[in-house]
Amino acid sequence: MPGQPSPPPTPSELRKERRRATVARIADAHLSAMGGTLADTIGHDSRQRLVWLALLAMPLLFPVALPGMGSAVGVFCLVIAFGLCAGRSVPLPAWLGERTLSDRVRGLLTRMLARVIHLIARLGRPRLLGLSHHSARWANGLMLSVAGVSMVVPVPVISFDNVLPALAMVLTAWGLRLRDGLMLLAGHVATLVAATSVVLLWWGGSQLVVDLLTRLGVSALQ
């Protein structure tokens, strides 16, 4: 009937609304902080940098990224991890931080940020807060550094070696930024799997090389 008051929102609707409001604040904070230089865009706070780390790592979930992108993202991940462990942000080198961004790049980053954050809003929410507490920064920084090293270390022949480290970075970064302990825990598991896969790939590759050299040596002796 006209004029009839609408029913009060359900607890589920209230949670969704709070989640949307939180994500909107994160998006607005990052969009307003975008400046003309790379240092201004990614920010000087670890919480801001975590979002950009997740955004940069997400394309690496697919084995079609630009050459060298994995190493750059891995180094950036290590910088953030060191800042988490030290309790303060590590400034970017002047030659990198002072690089200016064109309007086209800034527009692309703006659209990417808006789309991804609204997607993450459906998945992440504050829970298991103890895992993202300040007291756990050493453990989280260590796991993030392992993910960074796993991406930086080159694995010969394999073309999708960055997928697992990238997944670990995305889950860990968003877990820390949204204080989603479940997502953070999944990121830690992905980090351990990524590090183990890198070790196994190197071990298998070295065994293959040794076997090949041994066969060549035997053939040469014959």
Side-chain angles (χ1 to χ4, degrees):
M1 295 179 62
Q4 184 178 4
S6 59
T10 64
S12 176
E13 292 174 340
L14 289 174
R15 286 194 296 270
K16 290 181 179 179
E17 184 59 33
R18 286 196 297 267
R19 193 184 309 176
R20 282 195 293 266
T22 299
V23 172
R25 286 196 300 270
I26 294 175
D28 291 340
H30 283 79
L31 292 176
S32 62
M34 290 184 66
T37 65
L38 184 61
D40 292 336
T41 298
I42 68 171
H44 304 280
D45 182 76
S46 295
R47 291 171 62 84
Q48 286 181 287
R49 293 182 174 185
L50 283 169
V51 172
W52 291 113
L53 173 63
L55 288 174
L56 292 172
M58 289 180 78
L60 296 172
L61 295 174
F62 309 95
V64 291
L66 296 175
M69 184 177 178
S71 298
V73 174
V75 171
F76 184 44
C77 180
L78 290 173
V79 170
I80 296 176
F82 182 80
L84 287 175
C85 293
R88 56 181 177 82
S89 298
V90 178
L92 294 178
W95 63 269
L96 180 61
E98 294 177 0
R99 293 180 65 90
T100 58
L101 301 178
S102 65
D103 293 338
R104 182 180 178 183
V105 172
R106 292 175 61 186
L108 177 63
L109 292 176
T110 299
R111 291 192 297 271
M112 183 189 303
L113 179 64
R115 292 176 181 177
V116 171
I117 283 186
H118 284 89
L119 173 63
I120 295 299
R122 302 177 182 178
L123 305 175
R125 64 179 184 271
R127 50 188 166 182
L128 301 177
L129 300 180
L131 295 177
S132 59
H133 192 265
H134 182 72
S135 59
R137 70 178 191 277
W138 270 97
N140 292 324
L142 178 61
M143 296 301 290
L144 200 57
S145 65
V146 172
V149 171
S150 299
M151 182 170 286
V152 171
V153 173
V155 177
V157 181
I158 305 300
S159 60
F160 51 87
D161 56 298
N162 287 331
V163 173
L164 285 175
L167 178 62
M169 290 181 189
V170 170
L171 291 173
T172 302
W174 281 120
L176 287 171
R177 186 62 182 90
L178 299 176
R179 298 209 64 187
D180 189 334
L182 185 60
M183 190 178 293
L184 183 58
L185 187 61
H188 291 346
V189 172
T191 299
L192 295 176
V193 174
T196 302
S197 67
V198 169
V199 172
L200 290 177
L201 286 172
W202 269 105
W203 177 81
S206 63
Q207 290 295 111
L208 182 63
V209 170
V210 170
D211 183 63
L212 179 61
L213 291 177
T214 301
R215 293 188 179 185
L216 290 175
V218 171
S219 300
L221 288 176
Q222 291 177 350

